[in-house]
Amino acid sequence: MSEQQRAVGEGLTGDDLLEGVEVDVEVERYAHGGHCVARHDGRVLFVRHTLPGERVRARVTESTPGRSFVRADAVEVLRAAPERVERRCGWSGPGLCGGCDLQHVELAAQRRLKAAAVAASMERIGGLDVTGLLAPEAEPVAGDESGLRWRTRTTFAVDDRGRPGLRAHRSHEIVPVDDCPITVRPALATGVLEQDWEGALAVTAVAPSVGDPVLVPVGERGRPLHEVPRVTEAVATPEGERRWTIGARGFWQVHPGAPATLVSAVLEAAAVQPGDRVLDLYCGAGLLTLPLAEATGDGGQVVGVEAAGPAVDDARAALAEHPWVALVASRVDEAFGLARTDPGRRRPRRGRTRGGPRARHDLLPPTADVVVLDPPREGAGAAVVAAIADLRPRTVVHVACDPAALARDAAAFVARGYELSALRAFDAFPMTHHVECVATFRRADAV
């Protein structure tokens, strides 16, 4: 293969698409994950930094013999799409920071791409047609206008010289940066990017909605090098502003408008009635548990289930004045008495064994009126979906951050007699491919 052939892909077959090879391709559809689909000699290329309808020169970045696809970066745009804009960040692009996939896309177009990716996942993976259910654009969250300066929690990797930066896409390589345009200014004003972090492997900058920003350096296995400070977050709920005090490294929505947006969307979808029995699964620090408890009133019952012990403690503190709420510190599958599962994986993690069935937790009721679940990225899985369906709730509200996992869970709910009645996508992570979804399922025979 000549250098000229290697550079422009002249006469190359699909088998010649090795790492470093460049080939001119026509870009087809957008796919969830921040890349678009292109083809060369029958082989699929997943190409980043491009848009549907463009013609680009793509450089192969990963190629595995025998696989039907390769990964690539668009290193030159030969014909631009009208939605293409100048990147807002100098560290975004081929070979640079891997955090933002869509810096080159106009904001409204980003939201259309995300909605289309959700619809495609629901159809291809879940076998569900969501035409008429899903808006053509992902909805912006409260307060978002530019898609920049929204990230209130950013973890910067630290290189062997103590310099903070961000990792390149699918790489351990650290790109030193002196700004991150999606991170809020108060987090950067801590001086996180100016300090020498020798001895740390990463440092997290947190700008809570109440109080001063904090920095948390971490070492091996993500262990904090100092005592982790606690921060306060305030959220507008139908009953007024509510506050949570959580560990700075505990899970919380990173977009400042996302908590209130999700609370509103979930309450609307759940349509909880006074006196209802509600389960809030994977409840974290109780962001949704508290407004759900306020909706049921003291004549109702709410059970929250969460595996992370510190989050359960934080939820207990936030819900101290709501005695009709019970919190279960457990994995959801184990609380249902199921064997431990890893829903998104074809095989167990190496060195990890799955436990056998356990006794169902005493606090889990035999029935429920409403179930809300916000599982981790891999989704709930068929076994947990079946256990939820066995409770015969009239409504299930599924909050999801991965369209593929949501599609798998949605198919499982439909197989168990539920209908997908509503689906909303929220642009809670502008400039990235990530999207937050709220799906509503109604029991087909519910009155």
PDB file of all heavy atoms in Angstrom, residues 59-72:
ATOM      1  N   ARG A  59     -10.015   9.402   9.380  1.00  0.00           N
ATOM      2  CA  ARG A  59      -8.808   8.671   9.768  1.00  0.00           C
ATOM      3  C   ARG A  59      -9.190   7.574  10.755  1.00  0.00           C
ATOM      4  O   ARG A  59      -9.814   7.843  11.794  1.00  0.00           O
ATOM      5  CB  ARG A  59      -7.793   9.603  10.402  1.00  0.00           C
ATOM      6  CG  ARG A  59      -6.506   8.898  10.875  1.00  0.00           C
ATOM      7  CD  ARG A  59      -5.572   9.873  11.545  1.00  0.00           C
ATOM      8  NE  ARG A  59      -5.144  10.889  10.591  1.00  0.00           N
ATOM      9  CZ  ARG A  59      -4.855  12.139  10.930  1.00  0.00           C
ATOM     10  NH1 ARG A  59      -4.970  12.540  12.187  1.00  0.00           N
ATOM     11  NH2 ARG A  59      -4.465  13.008  10.011  1.00  0.00           N
ATOM     12  N   VAL A  60      -8.845   6.347  10.438  1.00  0.00           N
ATOM     13  CA  VAL A  60      -9.182   5.210  11.299  1.00  0.00           C
ATOM     14  C   VAL A  60      -8.391   5.308  12.598  1.00  0.00           C
ATOM     15  O   VAL A  60      -7.160   5.458  12.587  1.00  0.00           O
ATOM     16  CB  VAL A  60      -8.889   3.880  10.591  1.00  0.00           C
ATOM     17  CG1 VAL A  60      -9.185   2.702  11.527  1.00  0.00           C
ATOM     18  CG2 VAL A  60      -9.728   3.765   9.311  1.00  0.00           C
ATOM     19  N   THR A  61      -9.102   5.236  13.723  1.00  0.00           N
ATOM     20  CA  THR A  61      -8.461   5.307  15.042  1.00  0.00           C
ATOM     21  C   THR A  61      -8.437   3.970  15.765  1.00  0.00           C
ATOM     22  O   THR A  61      -7.598   3.745  16.620  1.00  0.00           O
ATOM     23  CB  THR A  61      -9.192   6.333  15.926  1.00  0.00           C
ATOM     24  OG1 THR A  61     -10.587   5.987  16.000  1.00  0.00           O
ATOM     25  CG2 THR A  61      -9.050   7.740  15.349  1.00  0.00           C
ATOM     26  N   GLU A  62      -9.367   3.085  15.434  1.00  0.00           N
ATOM     27  CA  GLU A  62      -9.402   1.734  16.012  1.00  0.00           C
ATOM     28  C   GLU A  62      -9.869   0.762  14.949  1.00  0.00           C
ATOM     29  O   GLU A  62     -10.874   1.013  14.269  1.00  0.00           O
ATOM     30  CB  GLU A  62     -10.371   1.658  17.203  1.00  0.00           C
ATOM     31  CG  GLU A  62      -9.946   2.449  18.416  1.00  0.00           C
ATOM     32  CD  GLU A  62     -10.938   2.282  19.560  1.00  0.00           C
ATOM     33  OE1 GLU A  62     -11.496   1.176  19.716  1.00  0.00           O
ATOM     34  OE2 GLU A  62     -11.189   3.260  20.277  1.00  0.00           O
ATOM     35  N   SER A  63      -9.139  -0.335  14.810  1.00  0.00           N
ATOM     36  CA  SER A  63      -9.516  -1.360  13.833  1.00  0.00           C
ATOM     37  C   SER A  63      -9.147  -2.718  14.390  1.00  0.00           C
ATOM     38  O   SER A  63      -7.995  -2.953  14.769  1.00  0.00           O
ATOM     39  CB  SER A  63      -8.800  -1.122  12.503  1.00  0.00           C
ATOM     40  OG  SER A  63      -9.121  -2.121  11.567  1.00  0.00           O
ATOM     41  N   THR A  64     -10.123  -3.602  14.470  1.00  0.00           N
ATOM     42  CA  THR A  64      -9.906  -4.948  14.977  1.00  0.00           C
ATOM     43  C   THR A  64     -10.205  -5.945  13.869  1.00  0.00           C
ATOM     44  O   THR A  64     -11.317  -5.948  13.323  1.00  0.00           O
ATOM     45  CB  THR A  64     -10.811  -5.243  16.183  1.00  0.00           C
ATOM     46  OG1 THR A  64     -10.564  -4.267  17.197  1.00  0.00           O
ATOM     47  CG2 THR A  64     -10.549  -6.636  16.733  1.00  0.00           C
ATOM     48  N   PRO A  65      -9.244  -6.783  13.494  1.00  0.00           N
ATOM     49  CA  PRO A  65      -9.483  -7.766  12.428  1.00  0.00           C
ATOM     50  C   PRO A  65     -10.707  -8.631  12.727  1.00  0.00           C
ATOM     51  O   PRO A  65     -10.914  -9.071  13.859  1.00  0.00           O
ATOM     52  CB  PRO A  65      -8.198  -8.607  12.436  1.00  0.00           C
ATOM     53  CG  PRO A  65      -7.154  -7.703  13.017  1.00  0.00           C
ATOM     54  CD  PRO A  65      -7.874  -6.876  14.032  1.00  0.00           C
ATOM     55  N   GLY A  66     -11.521  -8.826  11.703  1.00  0.00           N
ATOM     56  CA  GLY A  66     -12.709  -9.659  11.860  1.00  0.00           C
ATOM     57  C   GLY A  66     -13.953  -8.913  12.254  1.00  0.00           C
ATOM     58  O   GLY A  66     -15.061  -9.433  12.104  1.00  0.00           O
ATOM     59  N   ARG A  67     -13.795  -7.701  12.760  1.00  0.00           N
ATOM     60  CA  ARG A  67     -14.980  -6.913  13.117  1.00  0.00           C
ATOM     61  C   ARG A  67     -15.563  -6.248  11.879  1.00  0.00           C
ATOM     62  O   ARG A  67     -14.842  -5.879  10.953  1.00  0.00           O
ATOM     63  CB  ARG A  67     -14.633  -5.848  14.150  1.00  0.00           C
ATOM     64  CG  ARG A  67     -14.616  -6.383  15.572  1.00  0.00           C
ATOM     65  CD  ARG A  67     -14.611  -5.237  16.560  1.00  0.00           C
ATOM     66  NE  ARG A  67     -14.767  -5.717  17.924  1.00  0.00           N
ATOM     67  CZ  ARG A  67     -14.772  -4.937  18.995  1.00  0.00           C
ATOM     68  NH1 ARG A  67     -14.639  -3.635  18.850  1.00  0.00           N
ATOM     69  NH2 ARG A  67     -14.917  -5.455  20.196  1.00  0.00           N
ATOM     70  N   SER A  68     -16.875  -6.052  11.915  1.00  0.00           N
ATOM     71  CA  SER A  68     -17.555  -5.461  10.766  1.00  0.00           C
ATOM     72  C   SER A  68     -17.439  -3.949  10.726  1.00  0.00           C
ATOM     73  O   SER A  68     -17.892  -3.316   9.788  1.00  0.00           O
ATOM     74  CB  SER A  68     -19.035  -5.850  10.776  1.00  0.00           C
ATOM     75  OG  SER A  68     -19.658  -5.371  11.963  1.00  0.00           O
ATOM     76  N   PHE A  69     -16.829  -3.349  11.757  1.00  0.00           N
ATOM     77  CA  PHE A  69     -16.752  -1.893  11.805  1.00  0.00           C
ATOM     78  C   PHE A  69     -15.387  -1.450  12.292  1.00  0.00           C
ATOM     79  O   PHE A  69     -14.637  -2.226  12.905  1.00  0.00           O
ATOM     80  CB  PHE A  69     -17.836  -1.320  12.725  1.00  0.00           C
ATOM     81  CG  PHE A  69     -17.636  -1.661  14.184  1.00  0.00           C
ATOM     82  CD1 PHE A  69     -16.893  -0.824  15.018  1.00  0.00           C
ATOM     83  CD2 PHE A  69     -18.174  -2.819  14.732  1.00  0.00           C
ATOM     84  CE1 PHE A  69     -16.693  -1.128  16.361  1.00  0.00           C
ATOM     85  CE2 PHE A  69     -17.983  -3.128  16.069  1.00  0.00           C
ATOM     86  CZ  PHE A  69     -17.245  -2.289  16.887  1.00  0.00           C
ATOM     87  N   VAL A  70     -15.075  -0.191  12.023  1.00  0.00           N
ATOM     88  CA  VAL A  70     -13.904   0.473  12.592  1.00  0.00           C
ATOM     89  C   VAL A  70     -14.361   1.793  13.172  1.00  0.00           C
ATOM     90  O   VAL A  70     -15.457   2.283  12.864  1.00  0.00           O
ATOM     91  CB  VAL A  70     -12.800   0.710  11.531  1.00  0.00           C
ATOM     92  CG1 VAL A  70     -12.345  -0.604  10.929  1.00  0.00           C
ATOM     93  CG2 VAL A  70     -13.281   1.671  10.447  1.00  0.00           C
ATOM     94  N   ARG A  71     -13.524   2.392  14.015  1.00  0.00           N
ATOM     95  CA  ARG A  71     -13.792   3.730  14.544  1.00  0.00           C
ATOM     96  C   ARG A  71     -12.864   4.718  13.850  1.00  0.00           C
ATOM     97  O   ARG A  71     -11.725   4.378  13.501  1.00  0.00           O
ATOM     98  CB  ARG A  71     -13.587   3.758  16.064  1.00  0.00           C
ATOM     99  CG  ARG A  71     -14.519   2.818  16.820  1.00  0.00           C
ATOM    100  CD  ARG A  71     -14.337   2.937  18.325  1.00  0.00           C
ATOM    101  NE  ARG A  71     -15.133   1.949  19.019  1.00  0.00           N
ATOM    102  CZ  ARG A  71     -16.419   2.091  19.330  1.00  0.00           C
ATOM    103  NH1 ARG A  71     -17.047   3.221  18.989  1.00  0.00           N
ATOM    104  NH2 ARG A  71     -17.080   1.144  19.952  1.00  0.00           N
ATOM    105  N   ALA A  72     -13.363   5.943  13.676  1.00  0.00           N
ATOM    106  CA  ALA A  72     -12.580   6.927  12.931  1.00  0.00           C
ATOM    107  C   ALA A  72     -12.919   8.337  13.380  1.00  0.00           C
ATOM    108  O   ALA A  72     -13.952   8.578  14.016  1.00  0.00           O
ATOM    109  CB  ALA A  72     -12.838   6.770  11.437  1.00  0.00           C
TER     110      ALA A  72
END
